[in-house]
Amino acid sequence: MMLRWALLALFLGVCLSAQEPKKRKVKPQSLSRGWGDSIEWVKTYKDGLAKMSKSQKPLMTIHHRANCSYCQALKKAFLAEKSIQKMAKEDFIMVNLVEETTDKNMAPDGYYVPRILFVDPSKTVRTDIVGRFSNRRYTYKPEDMEICE
């Protein structure tokens, strides 16, 4: 009789533990999203504007998508270029956006990725700082990293 109770308790324990979902710790994604963990990134465009106003450093916004091969190539080049990483860390307030902002000034020639725009401390989007493409003025390719130094 005692053996039956022990087996029943064991069986119930196995059944109950099988029903409990396994809790996995999910590591929150870094704000860098792979663009450089040593850089202090702000969470949102709005946060970037506020921090820019306080620090008087310009804001650099990188618009990208996780599934965009052009964005991935640019990210890899951006990450590999130590002088760019240093400049981003020391001279700019940095934000990378996978979602579009509601600020229409951040899309002066359209909504495409990758797109990099700069905002000066007076909150003016610097539309005069452009890449080498006439149809997508604020896009850059990995080989453009040399120009930025």
Side-chain angles (χ1 to χ4, degrees):
M1 186 71 163
M2 189 61 118
L3 182 60
R4 283 187 183 171
W5 284 110
L7 287 174
L8 180 61
L10 179 64
F11 178 72
L12 286 174
V14 169
C15 289
L16 289 175
S17 68
Q19 291 178 355
E20 289 181 23
K22 302 272 189 223
K23 292 182 180 177
R24 283 187 350 185
K25 288 188 177 181
V26 177
K27 185 179 176 182
Q29 186 180 25
S30 163
L31 289 178
S32 79
R33 296 181 180 95
W35 288 85
D37 289 334
S38 67
I39 298 168
E40 183 182 339
W41 297 90
V42 293
K43 189 173 184 176
T44 65
Y45 176 63
K46 187 177 178 180
D47 293 344
L49 291 174
K51 190 165 185 171
M52 177 189 66
S53 292
K54 282 184 180 180
S55 72
Q56 290 301 298
K57 289 182 181 180
L59 175 68
M60 179 178 180
T61 61
I62 303 172
H63 300 262
H64 63 100
R65 295 281 177 266
N67 61 351
C68 167
S69 61
Y70 297 107
C71 298
Q72 294 302 318
L74 183 61
K75 179 193 304 186
K76 186 177 178 180
F78 185 92
L79 189 59
E81 189 57 53
K82 299 301 177 202
S83 63
I84 298 292
Q85 290 286 303
K86 184 178 188 294
M87 189 175 16
K89 185 177 182 176
E90 296 175 1
D91 301 331
F92 291 94
I93 303 301
M94 299 294 295
V95 62
N96 65 67
L97 303 170
V98 290
E99 300 295 329
E100 284 296 338
T101 68
T102 55
D103 185 343
K104 301 245 186 274
N105 293 311
M106 293 306 292
D109 65 342
Y111 294 94
Y112 55 86
V113 292
R115 186 171 83 247
I116 299 176
L117 286 127
F118 299 90
V119 182
D120 70 27
S122 71
K123 295 188 177 179
T124 301
V125 176
R126 295 291 307 270
T127 56
D128 58 319
I129 302 173
V130 297
R132 59 187 169 108
F133 302 100
S134 60
N135 61 336
R136 293 182 173 204
R137 299 176 56 204
Y138 306 98
T139 197
Y140 298 87
K141 288 188 171 184
E143 53 270 18
D144 295 333
M145 290 298 128
E146 304 170 355
I147 298 169
C148 297
E149 294 183 61

